[in-house]
Amino acid sequence: NLSFSYTWMSSDRFGFVRKANLHNLGSQPASCRFIDGLQNLLPANVDRDMQTVFSTLVDAYKKNELLPESGIGIYALSSIPVDRAEPSESLTANTVWSTGLDDPVYLLSTCQLDDFRQGKSIKQETDMCGVRGAYLVQSKTTLLAGGSTEWFIVAETNQDACDIAELETKRPSKSELLAD
């Protein structure tokens, strides 16, 4: 007796915004543990041609990092793959963050999904290298009869260090996400 729905929105200010809603259609309270999020996230500086031709090499350079206090996932390359003997830093990242869930546990990969599906506990991931990126959020809730809960997942591209620092200190509220 649970219903899940979501809506994708684009925002000039916040990038891609996904609003999700879990609703109890039953006449009794319902408790559940769930996981929601995005898979196969690409880091910044990876275009379609690079991903198509060099996907395995790109996987080797991927770095997924979580800022635990804010729940911001950062998806970047450790360096930009080049054919020359010179350093090529990757100075931007794609970010994903969420708001609206109680006591979230964050995953940066899909490595623990089978454990979750088997009812086992999962451990928060803060640093993953060389694996495809994901931003998964586990939470628990109890919904009253007819009750619901909503949350947001926001994905932004090509963020530099200043953008990420500002996001960490000035997280938008649900109403700001809907107003943009």
Side-chain angles (χ1 to χ4, degrees), residues 127-177:
D127 192 28
M128 301 290 287
C129 294
V131 296
R132 294 185 180 203
Y135 184 85
L136 302 171
V137 185
Q138 178 205 268
S139 188
K140 298 176 189 174
T141 191
T142 299
L143 300 173
L144 299 175
S148 65
T149 187
E150 75 176 12
W151 62 94
F152 295 83
I153 295 177
V154 180
E156 300 180 90
T157 60
N158 294 317
Q159 302 291 294
D160 63 22
C162 293
D163 296 328
I164 295 169
E166 182 178 353
L167 177 61
E168 193 168 26
T169 58
K170 297 179 185 174
R171 293 282 299 278
S173 66
K174 288 183 187 182
S175 59
E176 288 177 290
L177 290 171

Side-chain angles (χ1 to χ4, degrees), residues 1 8 27-28 30 37 54 61 66 68 74 84 89 91 117 136 148-149 155 161 167 179:
N1 287 326
W8 279 101
S27 59
Q28 298 294 320
F54 300 109
Y61 281 82
L66 177 73
I74 301 171
R84 296 175 296 281
E89 291 182 276
L91 300 176
R117 289 180 183 120
L136 302 171
S148 65
T149 187
L167 177 61

Side-chain angles (χ1 to χ4, degrees), residues 40-43 56 58-64 75-76 108-111 125 127-134:
N40 293 323
L41 296 170
L42 289 176
T56 304
V58 169
D59 283 350
Y61 281 82
K62 288 179 181 176
K63 181 169 177 47
N64 312 328
Y75 304 86
L108 299 172
S109 72
T110 59
C111 297
E125 298 170 345
D127 192 28
M128 301 290 287
C129 294
V131 296
R132 294 185 180 203

Side-chain angles (χ1 to χ4, degrees), residues 3-19:
S3 168
F4 174 77
S5 61
Y6 64 91
T7 303
W8 279 101
M9 302 170 272
S10 62
S11 164
D12 289 335
R13 187 170 164 203
F14 302 114
F16 299 101
V17 179
R18 183 173 164 272
K19 176 184 169 188

